[in-house]
Amino acid sequence: MRFVFIAVSYFLLAFGTMSPALGGEGPWTLKFQCITTESRIFEFEIKNITNIQSKINHRLLGGAVIQLDHNYKSPTAGLFEGVFTSVTHGSHRAWFQYDILHSSLKGWGKIGEHRTDCTITGKKAQTALITKDVITEANFDRNKICFLALAPVDVEWDYSTVGGRDAIKEAKARGLSLQDCAQVLGRSSNKTLINTSDERSRITKNQMICSKALSKKNTWETLTFLQKYVDQAKARGFSERDCSRILGDTKVASKSAEKVRRHLYYDICNQALKINMMTWDTGNPYSRRKVKEARNLGLSEKHCARILNRKEKNVSLAATRAATLQVSTLSDAEVCRNAMGNDGKSWSAALGWVSYVDKAKSRGLSEQDCAKLLAGLNNVASSISKSAPQPSQALIKRTQGALKSLGLYRGKVDGVHGVESKLALTQWQKSADVIATGEIKAEQIARLESDAFKRLAKLQAVREEKALKEAKERAQKIEAENAKIAAEKKRITEQANKAKKAIQLRNRHSVAVIVGNRNYKGMANVDFAERDANAMRKFVLEQLHYREGNIIDLRNTSQAELRTTFGTASTHKGKLYDYVRPQKSDVIVFYSGHGVPGLRDKRGYLLPVDGEPNRAELSGYPLEVLLTNLSKVPARSMKVFIDACFSGDSPKGMLVRATSGLSVKIRQPKSVDNKMVVITASKGDQFASWDEDAKHGLFTKYLLEALGGHADKEEFGGNADGKVTLGEVKDYLDEEMTYQARRRFSRDQHATVNGDLKTVLSAY
């Protein structure tokens, strides 16, 4: 089996490097798939094969020789048969048969004695044929046009090829009839010339056919429009050598003819002599036939060695004994093949072959016995093909589909019973306890398809069971993930509730005063004051968790309400004072509305909705009194946020008739424990802007963002510890509010901040 593996490898190399000799309509590309009994698969391709009907004679790199003759059957079928000769393992038979349909080739064959099976598939590329345009451009004369238009021998139009049909059109266009072309070519009008009994006329026509069918190298022509002559020659049973002899008997010797003869002698001697030696190669039938041809041409071993330019070499005794042993152990068929003449019916009279005649006679073989034996060998391939009819493409596809369902075949369901499908079928046949031949039998298909159906049903049940199992696993996984998410949500909720309770516990006594003055009498309103107050109320309730009953909510507040809540210059014990638990209450005071400067004392005043901006000293609430009274409230901490400016201006115009340059400086009262924090929207001479898109005061918007956690983020300079300090709020307002005021309104707005920058204002 090892040898078959080596033989196949050599054969692949030989076939892959063979030189095309004959022409067709286009080059072929063949794909071979071979499999040994050890289930080894070999695949290879042969490209640019000009003629599929050429002989193969190639010497391999390792010294082995592959020699195949082509047995012409028809333009759509053929057979290659010959030998593969290895230097170390001797000769082994190889043969392939094929069929051609619509430029596609399919075939099969064997190599060696160990049933190395091969399948062949091929495609033929289409090449340009001689067309009418080509004929016209070539400006063919009448003789050439008629030569292409008429059949090779008969006096009739040749419609068998595209080139012939175009030539007929051109001939008719030139006014040439069938008889005119016959006269131009010197042919008779008799249409049975091929069957004529006149030997002289027959020889003349043989010469004419062979002269057109053979190329200058004494090989079949490869041109498309000359293939009809090649077919005619083959139909008459002529080989290339036969045509060469027919033409050799009539042609005048010339330099070109001598070159052809030298080429022919070189080819014969190269196959007749042993590899790199000067003695005849009689180790296989093919080489012996070539030796016989060489001797018939009068060539000796020395003549062939001289033609091949070989020098004399010393032949070992072992090699000589091996060659002698091969000759002495020839079979009857091999003896007859060398003893019979070219006609295969009588003994050969050529010198050097008498010994084979004597050998045949010594074995009791007559001329008739050898003739019958050789005739039987010539029909081996045809008998093999007849005994093993090829299955239909539909049957092959059914087989491939069933094998694929069984998981034995992974190729394409293409109707080609190749190596892979044969291997798969062999495996099934072994498992089914039937003879494992790898061949498709109709009686086995029903059982094969039944096995495939059972396997598919089993696979379907397994798939359904697997799908059900996977569905359960997915449901369990989803349930586990949902439980995990629910547990995480519960943990977060509990943590949030715990934090909320801690904040609620801390702020259960905290108090907030929220003032939103929008609707002023006799002056411009503060459009977003109530929205600012609502946003601050929401922040105090939801994030700081103040009790709703501890929020003093004042909207559109009068001067009396401000005094009642925060007290007056003579007493600080207003409503807020009454709400506070000493050292237990955190207090937030938020104001959104107008602020104005006093024209006489230049102090800042919160303007009630019933106040007059030009008489702030009489109708306003002094900012200094507010901060002084808040500092006297016994709260745990005090935070004051004022979204108002004290420049006398507003987004809707001036509130105070005053000269430019009026400003107010806010002074925070001195506190013993430094518990108060005060943040206002702008400096005394700056403008407090409104955000029309957010519908809030610009200060309130960014103050709430800062207290909500933005100011604690690292991107704004915070330390991300979950607590917002006064310093972080100041940095955030300076970074964001001041930038937006400059970019959107082209004005400066800097918040004023008083208090310890480390004071924590909120937690999140």
Side-chain angles (χ1 to χ4, degrees):
M1 198 63 248
R2 181 180 180 184
F3 163 70
V4 175
F5 174 79
I6 299 173
V8 172
S9 302
Y10 278 127
F11 177 71
L12 306 189
L13 180 59
F15 227 123
T17 56
M18 73 177 189
S19 301
L22 300 179
E25 294 185 0
W28 285 87
T29 298
L30 299 183
K31 183 175 181 180
F32 287 72
Q33 291 182 319
C34 298
I35 180 172
T36 68
T37 54
E38 295 179 350
S39 301
R40 295 191 180 184
I41 298 176
F42 308 94
E43 296 184 359
F44 60 98
E45 285 188 352
I46 308 171
K47 297 183 179 180
N48 298 324
I49 301 175
T50 307
N51 188 3
I52 198 65
Q53 299 169 354
S54 62
K55 293 183 178 180
I56 301 169
N57 178 21
H58 191 80
R59 191 178 302 274
L60 306 180
L61 297 178
V65 176
I66 181 72
Q67 297 168 322
L68 297 174
D69 284 333
H70 184 265
N71 183 6
Y72 180 83
K73 290 185 177 180
S74 70
T76 60
L79 173 69
F80 282 108
E81 56 181 345
V83 294
F84 177 87
T85 305
S86 172
V87 177
T88 56
H89 297 89
S91 302
H92 288 265
R93 181 170 176 264
W95 62 271
F96 302 92
Q97 68 176 13
Y98 67 85
D99 295 298
I100 299 175
L101 179 62
H102 302 305
S103 300
S104 297
L105 180 145
K106 294 181 180 180
W108 65 289
K110 296 181 182 294
I111 300 174
E113 299 176 355
H114 300 283
R115 295 179 58 83
T116 299
D117 296 328
C118 296
T119 59
I120 313 172
T121 57
K123 289 289 185 180
K124 182 173 64 174
Q126 299 296 325
T127 57
L129 302 174
I130 295 181
T131 62
K132 186 175 185 303
D133 294 337
V134 176
I135 295 174
T136 304
E137 292 177 4
N139 195 21
F140 285 171
D141 56 19
R142 296 175 59 188
N143 185 67
K144 291 183 179 179
I145 291 296
C146 289
F147 174 76
L148 295 172
L150 287 186
V153 179
D154 297 340
V155 182
E156 59 182 9
W157 297 122
D158 184 6
Y159 291 99
S160 62
T161 65
V162 177
R165 291 193 291 272
D166 289 335
I168 293 170
K169 291 181 182 179
E170 181 66 18
K172 291 181 178 180
R174 297 188 183 188
L176 296 173
S177 64
L178 187 64
Q179 291 73 19
D180 293 336
C181 277
Q183 292 179 1
V184 169
L185 298 179
R187 298 185 186 178
S188 171
S189 59
N190 183 12
K191 293 188 178 182
T192 61
L193 290 176
I194 293 180
N195 299 321
T196 181
S197 61
D198 183 11
E199 186 66 24
R200 183 177 179 183
S201 174
R202 187 175 185 84
I203 293 175
T204 303
K205 290 170 179 55
N206 289 343
Q207 292 172 353
M208 187 275 292
I209 292 173
C210 287
S211 66
K212 305 302 181 184
L214 279 187
S215 66
K216 293 181 180 180
K217 296 182 179 180
N218 273 18
T219 57
W220 294 132
E221 275 289 357
T222 59
L223 297 176
T224 303
F225 62 90
L226 293 178
Q227 288 304 297
K228 53 190 176 185
Y229 298 104
V230 178
D231 294 339
Q232 285 287 337
K234 291 180 178 179
R236 295 190 175 205
F238 296 155
S239 65
E240 295 172 339
R241 188 174 59 144
D242 295 333
C243 273
S244 178
R245 289 178 178 177
I246 292 172
L247 297 177
D249 295 338
T250 58
K251 287 187 177 179
V252 178
S254 61
K255 293 183 179 180
S256 60
E258 187 64 26
K259 290 181 180 178
V260 171
R261 287 192 184 91
R262 284 201 300 269
H263 179 80
L264 177 63
Y265 293 166
Y266 184 93
D267 181 61
I268 293 175
C269 288
N270 187 42
Q271 300 172 62
L273 288 185
K274 292 182 180 179
I275 299 170
N276 296 327
M277 299 179 69
M278 299 175 62
T279 57
W280 297 126
D281 184 1
T282 58
N284 61 84
Y286 185 85
S287 297
R288 288 194 291 275
R289 288 201 300 271
K290 294 302 178 181
V291 172
K292 188 174 181 179
E293 289 182 17
R295 287 177 174 176
N296 288 339
L297 293 173
L299 299 174
S300 65
E301 293 176 338
K302 291 184 178 180
H303 289 151
C304 278
R306 191 179 302 113
I307 291 172
L308 298 177
N309 195 25
R310 292 182 183 177
K311 297 180 180 181
E312 186 174 0
K313 295 183 179 180
N314 295 326
V315 182
S316 65
L317 181 61
T320 304
R321 289 179 178 175
T324 304
L325 180 62
Q326 288 178 344
V327 174
S328 64
T329 57
L330 293 178
S331 65
D332 290 348
E334 292 170 337
V335 171
C336 286
R337 187 177 287 109
N338 290 284
M340 298 298 285
N342 290 336
D343 57 359
K345 298 179 180 180
S346 59
W347 299 125
S348 174
L351 295 176
W353 300 98
V354 179
S355 60
Y356 290 99
V357 177
D358 295 339
K359 188 71 174 177
K361 291 179 179 179
S362 67
R363 296 186 180 186
L365 298 172
S366 64
E367 287 181 332
Q368 292 77 13
D369 294 335
C370 280
K372 291 180 180 179
L373 184 59
L374 295 179
L377 292 176
N378 291 334
N379 295 326
V380 169
S382 60
S383 64
I384 293 175
S385 63
K386 291 179 181 178
S387 63
Q390 294 296 306
S392 65
Q393 191 178 42
L395 192 61
I396 295 174
K397 286 185 176 181
R398 286 175 59 190
T399 303
Q400 290 175 334
L403 291 172
K404 202 162 192 176
S405 299
L406 289 171
L408 301 176
Y409 177 65
R410 296 184 178 181
K412 295 181 179 179
V413 182
D414 53 5
V416 178
H417 192 41
V419 173
E420 192 174 355
S421 59
K422 281 187 177 181
L423 178 59
L425 184 58
T426 301
Q427 293 177 355
W428 174 80
Q429 289 172 340
K430 289 180 180 179
S431 65
D433 294 331
V434 298
I435 300 176
T437 61
E439 303 299 332
I440 296 176
K441 296 182 180 180
E443 59 271 15
Q444 295 179 358
I445 298 302
R447 182 176 176 183
L448 175 62
E449 291 179 335
S450 176
D451 290 350
F453 178 78
K454 292 178 181 178
R455 184 175 186 272
L456 288 177
K458 184 177 179 180
L459 290 177
Q460 181 63 23
V462 171
R463 280 195 293 266
E464 291 177 356
E465 183 180 356
K466 183 179 179 181
L468 181 61
K469 182 178 179 181
E470 290 178 350
K472 290 182 178 179
E473 290 177 351
R474 285 196 299 269
Q476 292 175 355
K477 186 177 180 181
I478 293 173
E479 185 177 356
E481 290 179 352
N482 291 337
K484 185 177 179 180
I485 293 173
E488 182 66 16
K489 287 183 177 179
K490 182 178 179 181
R491 186 188 67 81
I492 294 174
T493 302
E494 290 177 352
Q495 185 177 359
N497 291 335
K498 185 177 180 181
K500 179 179 178 181
K501 289 180 179 179
I503 296 174
Q504 288 176 338
L505 182 62
R506 175 179 174 80
N507 293 331
R508 68 184 184 279
H509 300 309
S510 297
V511 180
V513 180
I514 300 175
V515 181
N517 286 349
R518 179 185 183 278
N519 302 321
Y520 283 86
K521 299 178 181 178
M523 67 189 77
N525 292 331
V526 180
D527 293 338
F528 308 129
E530 289 185 355
R531 287 178 54 83
D532 291 345
N534 291 335
M536 181 57 69
R537 176 186 174 87
K538 182 178 180 181
F539 171 77
V540 169
L541 288 174
E542 295 181 1
Q543 187 161 339
L544 300 183
H545 303 291
Y546 281 26
R547 293 165 59 189
E548 190 167 359
N550 286 349
I551 297 176
I552 303 173
D553 196 350
L554 303 176
R555 305 299 173 95
N556 299 317
T557 311
S558 64
Q559 185 186 49
E561 289 177 314
L562 291 176
R563 288 181 176 182
T564 301
T565 302
F566 299 114
T568 62
S570 59
T571 178
H572 62 280
K573 295 182 180 181
K575 187 176 181 179
L576 173 59
Y577 180 85
D578 296 338
Y579 271 53
V580 171
R581 291 175 183 267
Q583 305 306 319
K584 293 183 179 181
S585 299
D586 295 315
V587 177
I588 291 179
V589 176
F590 174 79
Y591 175 84
S592 178
H594 280 314
V596 294
L599 297 180
R600 297 178 178 81
D601 55 13
K602 295 183 179 181
R603 292 190 301 172
Y605 290 86
L606 302 180
L607 188 63
V609 295
D610 57 351
E612 294 185 16
N614 292 324
R615 294 180 175 83
E617 293 89 343
L618 299 177
S619 60
Y621 188 84
L623 183 58
E624 184 176 342
V625 173
L626 173 65
L627 298 179
T628 300
N629 289 351
L630 292 178
S631 66
K632 296 178 181 179
V633 174
R636 187 168 53 191
S637 66
M638 181 68 66
K639 306 175 187 69
V640 182
F641 309 122
I642 299 176
D643 191 356
C645 64
F646 300 94
S647 62
D649 202 354
S650 74
K652 292 187 176 182
M654 291 296 296
L655 299 176
V656 179
R657 295 188 298 274
T659 59
S660 62
L662 181 63
S663 63
V664 173
K665 185 176 182 180
I666 300 175
R667 297 180 179 87
Q668 182 174 350
K670 292 182 180 181
S671 179
V672 177
D673 54 5
N674 197 22
K675 62 182 180 180
M676 181 179 290
V677 170
V678 180
I679 306 176
T680 62
S682 61
K683 293 182 178 180
D685 57 349
Q686 292 179 346
F687 188 87
S689 305
W690 296 346
D691 189 335
E692 297 286 346
D693 297 331
K695 300 187 183 304
H696 283 294
L698 196 65
F699 169 75
T700 300
K701 174 186 175 183
Y702 288 102
L703 174 66
L704 291 175
E705 287 182 359
L707 296 176
H710 282 65
D712 190 43
K713 294 181 179 180
E714 294 180 354
E715 59 184 293
F716 299 110
N719 57 9
D721 62 350
K723 299 177 181 179
V724 180
T725 65
L726 178 61
E728 289 174 338
V729 171
K730 179 180 184 302
D731 292 340
Y732 186 81
L733 293 175
D734 290 342
E735 178 72 20
E736 295 299 315
M737 184 196 73
T738 301
Y739 170 76
Q740 292 295 333
R742 182 177 68 253
R743 174 172 177 170
R744 298 171 62 181
F745 308 115
S746 298
R747 62 170 68 102
D748 290 332
Q749 181 176 346
H750 297 273
T752 60
V753 178
N754 294 283
D756 186 0
L757 297 180
K758 296 181 180 181
T759 303
V760 176
L761 302 184
S762 66
Y764 63 95

